Amino acid sequence: CPEMIVETFGERANQACAVAWCETGGTFDQYATGRAGERGWFQIHPIHGWRSSYDPEVNVNYAYQLSRGGWDWSHWSCKP
């Protein structure tokens, strides 16, 4: 799991890593792109206004906010 995810999610890092692994098709590819245009480790859709969602820092920080610190994965198709 990328260190940035571990550092950001802390005690919830295992869950975050599981989601990122699944969302990227088992690759942790920061340039992963979904069918609907979702981007990065956590497949953030550009509709959310995050233009640089391929940027790992932006992607991880947005996922952290959206998941309420790793406690709510309801916005993702992959669950921990």
Side-chain angles (χ1 to χ4, degrees), residues 3-80:
E3 188 63 29
M4 185 179 295
I5 295 174
V6 173
E7 290 175 1
T8 302
F9 282 88
E11 68 181 42
R12 305 297 295 173
N14 286 342
Q15 291 84 2
C17 290
V19 171
W21 176 257
C22 177
E23 291 288 338
T24 60
T27 65
F28 286 123
D29 177 5
Q30 76 182 60
Y31 298 106
T33 305
R35 290 182 299 239
E38 308 92 345
R39 299 176 178 171
W41 289 330
F42 289 98
Q43 294 294 278
I44 305 300
H45 197 283
I47 196 169
H48 296 291
W50 294 84
R51 287 187 244 158
S52 300
S53 56
Y54 285 123
D55 178 322
E57 186 175 353
V58 172
N59 195 268
V60 171
N61 286 330
Y62 186 70
Y64 185 83
Q65 292 172 21
L66 191 59
S67 70
R68 297 182 179 140
W71 290 96
D72 177 8
W73 296 104
S74 62
H75 298 283
W76 283 267
S77 57
C78 294
K79 309 290 187 229

